[in-house]
């Protein structure tokens, strides 16, 4: 998931003799500046949590932040909230608790009016990653949409298990009406909802305008290069002009635009230029994915594993310099048996370590590793799927791999070495969805 802004941690630690808020999903309604806001608070097994507001913004909270937010939203008196926090967290001072309460109160108000930025705030510990947290469900689900399958049923099930964000992936044959209906269903529940699609598809049948009217929160469009020739060679003739129009329309429609940037072999200079152009186009968020090849593999246009370190460092440095919100998707293993452009247009499997891919038939695929289903969202209890080994690092607080001397300081390393092919989205014989 993308981060809109990072704030200082709510640092007090849970006392060993106390418990934080009970895991689960809570619902609240609150008046903010004469505006009725729906809030959903998801509490994780380790006490940390996610707060959603009107299906338009989310905030990651530390355990103490969860306790404060729960109290403020439920109408508990400040004196009682302070007493609970002081007894539950070691090292809490009156001044610290008061400051934390003001910060949580402010972010609750800010979330009611997130503006055009990507809708994720953070009041968690600065270094906390998906690996550091014990999650009760994924943070995001990317749903393949074509002409088959019951899309509404998949969205309903994701809501039932408290997945806060869904991204509908436009696949060949995806009817415009189905995408619009899916966004409406997600908004009815209170989910943050986005669509990832080629620019040409977004321009057909007034799809972008219809998605905006249905309440879509973000549109993810492919942006390969500032060089129109290189971009169109990967995404199709005329796409470079079309994606610029999509970004412009997103500003007018008050929808958050997200640039999905592919990196292939020899494309580092295109990555830098593509990211540098985003602020002037009104784009403040980017997802970068890599088509990667192992050492010794047949060369077919992907980026070699050894070059990933420099590519990731470049993406992180550019994002910091430009003030962009950045997600690095797990590298996708290059398939030498299909054209490079075809695989680029398929995009990443899932953009984020704590994300899943859901196929039209309901099959669930992890964000990385071999491309195989680990369960079915529509026919199995989700907890049974979540208990499988593919999600162990999200169910448990697993230590990140130790830092190495070859790429010190990369944020991406906290979720596993990106150069290690075992952490890539690997190929499998199943049909892509």
């Amino acid at each position: 998931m993308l981060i809109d802004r990072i704030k200082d941690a709510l640092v007090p630690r849970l006392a060993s003799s106390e418990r934080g808020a009970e895991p689960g999903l809570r619902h609240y309604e609150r008046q903010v500046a004469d505006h009725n806001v729906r809030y959903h608070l998801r509490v994780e097994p380790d006490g940390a949590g996610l707060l959603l507001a009107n299906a338009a913004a989310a905030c990651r909270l530390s355990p103490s932040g969860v306790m404060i937010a729960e109290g403020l939203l439920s109408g508990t008196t400040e004196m009682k909230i302070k007493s609970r926090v002081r007894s539950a967290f070691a090292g809490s001072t009156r001044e610290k608790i008061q400051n934390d309460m003001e910060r949580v109160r402010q972010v609750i108000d800010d979330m009611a009016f997130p503006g055009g930025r990507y809708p994720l705030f953070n009041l968690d510990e600065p270094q906390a990653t998906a690996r550091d947290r014990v999650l009760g469900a994924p943070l995001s689900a990317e749903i393949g949409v074509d002409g088959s399958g019951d899309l509404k049923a998949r969205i309903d099930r994701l809501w039932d298990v408290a997945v806060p964000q869904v991204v509908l992936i436009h696949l060949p044959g995806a009817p415009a009406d189905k995408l619009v209906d899916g966004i409406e269903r997600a908004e009815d529940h209170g989910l943050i909802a986005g669509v990832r699609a080629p620019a040409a598809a977004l321009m057909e049948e007034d799809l972008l305008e219809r998605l905006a009217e249905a309440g879509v929160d973000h549109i993810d469009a492919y942006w390969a290069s500032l060089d129109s020739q290189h971009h169109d060679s990967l995404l199709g003739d005329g796409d470079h002009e079309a994606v610029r129009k999509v970004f412009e329309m997103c500003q007018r429609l008050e929808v958050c635009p997200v640039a999905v940037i592919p990196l292939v072999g020899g494309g580092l200079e295109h990555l830098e230029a593509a990211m540098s152009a985003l602020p002037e186009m009104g784009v403040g968020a980017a997802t970068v994915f890599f088509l990667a090849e192992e050492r010794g593999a047949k060369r077919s246009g992907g980026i070699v594993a050894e070059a990933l370190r420099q590519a990731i460092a470049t993406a992180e440095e550019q994002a910091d310099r430009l003030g962009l919100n950045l997600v690095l998707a797990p590298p996708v293993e290059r398939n030498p048996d299909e054209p490079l452009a075809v695989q680029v247009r398929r995009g990443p499997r899932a953009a984020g370590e704590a994300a899943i891919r859901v196929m039209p038939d309901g099959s669930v695929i992890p964000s990385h590793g071999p491309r195989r289903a680990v369960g079915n969202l529509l026919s199995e209890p989700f907890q049974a799927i979540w208990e499988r080994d593919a999600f162990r690092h999200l169910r448990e607080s697993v230590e990140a791999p130790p830092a190495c001397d070859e790429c010190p300081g990369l944020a991406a390393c906290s979720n596993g070495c990106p150069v290690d092919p075992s952490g890539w989205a690997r190929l499998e014989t199943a049909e892509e969805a």
Side-chain angles (χ1 to χ4, degrees):
M1 293 173 60
L2 299 174
I3 294 179
D4 181 43
R5 50 188 174 175
I6 300 291
K7 298 188 176 183
D8 294 335
L10 296 177
V11 294
R13 303 295 181 182
L14 193 65
S16 59
S17 60
E18 300 287 345
R19 287 184 58 84
E22 289 294 325
L25 187 67
R26 290 111 160 107
H27 308 263
Y28 307 94
E29 288 196 14
R30 193 167 184 259
Q31 289 292 120
V32 180
D34 298 322
H35 181 62
N36 190 54
V37 183
R38 291 182 302 159
Y39 289 95
H40 299 91
L41 177 63
R42 178 179 121 178
V43 184
E44 306 289 6
D46 66 352
L50 279 165
L51 180 65
L52 278 74
N54 272 357
C59 180
R60 291 184 63 173
L61 297 170
S62 69
S64 56
V66 166
M67 186 172 287
I68 293 171
E70 185 179 40
L72 291 174
L73 290 169
S74 62
T76 305
T77 64
E78 287 197 12
M79 183 177 297
K80 187 169 291 186
I81 295 172
K82 291 175 182 178
S83 176
R84 288 177 180 173
V85 174
R86 191 162 47 248
S87 65
F89 293 90
S92 298
T93 65
R94 294 179 185 275
E95 181 179 7
K96 175 64 176 171
I97 294 171
Q98 181 63 45
N99 289 339
D100 289 347
M101 285 189 63
E102 292 304 319
R103 292 168 59 225
V104 173
R105 182 183 286 109
Q106 185 62 56
V107 83
I108 287 173
D109 290 345
D110 289 347
M111 288 172 66
F113 307 98
R117 299 179 178 180
Y118 194 92
L120 187 66
F121 299 80
N122 191 45
L123 284 178
D124 202 353
E125 298 171 18
Q127 304 306 320
T129 66
R131 187 180 292 272
D132 300 311
R133 285 289 175 226
V134 179
L135 301 182
L139 301 180
S140 179
E142 305 206 354
I143 308 176
V145 180
D146 58 14
S148 66
D150 189 337
L151 177 58
K152 291 181 178 180
R154 284 177 280 164
I155 292 172
D156 291 347
R157 286 289 295 128
L158 291 166
W159 165 250
D160 288 342
V161 299
V163 174
Q165 175 171 270
V166 296
V167 183
L168 307 186
I169 309 302
H170 182 286
L171 300 175
D177 288 346
K178 194 167 188 177
L179 287 162
V180 173
D181 289 346
I183 292 298
E184 289 178 343
R185 187 67 155 222
E187 293 294 307
D188 287 344
H189 282 309
L191 294 165
I192 293 175
V195 169
R196 187 169 83 222
L202 291 165
M203 301 295 286
E204 293 176 355
E205 302 182 63
D206 298 323
L207 178 57
L208 183 51
E209 290 93 336
R210 293 173 63 193
L211 290 170
E213 186 177 350
V216 72
D217 296 299
H218 59 95
I219 291 290
D220 303 7
Y222 295 100
W223 173 248
S225 177
L226 189 58
D227 180 341
S228 60
Q229 185 174 356
H230 179 74
H231 177 102
D232 287 356
S233 72
L234 296 174
L235 292 159
D237 291 342
D239 190 84
H240 191 266
E241 181 180 356
V243 74
R244 282 181 171 274
K245 290 181 180 178
V246 166
F247 290 152
E248 181 182 342
M249 290 175 64
C250 283
Q251 302 300 317
R252 175 170 56 82
L253 296 168
E254 298 184 345
V255 173
C256 175
V258 179
V260 182
I261 304 176
L263 187 67
V264 297
L268 196 56
E269 69 279 7
H270 293 290
L271 174 66
E272 294 185 67
M275 294 183 71
S276 294
L278 293 179
E280 66 186 43
M281 293 191 293
V283 180
T287 294
V288 176
F289 73 99
F290 312 91
L291 290 186
E293 299 175 342
E294 292 188 58
R295 176 185 296 176
K298 176 184 176 183
R299 290 290 167 261
S300 56
I303 182 171
V304 294
E306 292 74 14
L308 280 172
R309 293 188 181 95
Q310 181 58 48
I312 292 170
T314 297
E316 292 183 358
E317 289 166 4
Q318 285 284 88
D320 287 342
R321 181 177 68 83
L322 298 168
L324 296 173
N325 303 311
L326 175 68
V327 163
L328 291 171
V332 178
E333 181 183 8
R334 172 72 180 114
N335 183 357
D337 295 329
E338 68 178 355
L340 182 65
V342 171
Q343 196 171 8
V344 165
R345 295 172 202 180
R346 189 172 293 128
R349 183 191 293 172
E353 179 71 12
I356 59 173
R357 186 67 174 265
V358 181
M359 297 168 65
D361 67 354
S363 297
V364 175
I365 303 176
S367 63
H368 63 281
R371 193 189 172 284
R372 58 171 177 259
V374 295
N376 191 290
L377 185 70
L378 300 178
S379 60
E380 294 181 69
F382 185 79
Q383 196 59 34
I385 300 172
W386 195 240
E387 288 295 326
R388 291 179 180 138
D389 191 61
F391 300 117
R392 185 182 71 84
H393 67 296
L394 299 178
R395 294 193 315 272
E396 306 170 10
S397 184
V398 178
E399 289 188 8
C404 66
D405 295 332
E406 297 182 75
C407 52
L410 292 183
C413 298
S414 62
N415 283 321
C417 178
V419 180
D420 181 0
S422 67
W424 298 356
R426 306 288 291 186
L427 298 176
E428 195 71 2
T429 57
E431 184 178 350
E432 182 69 40

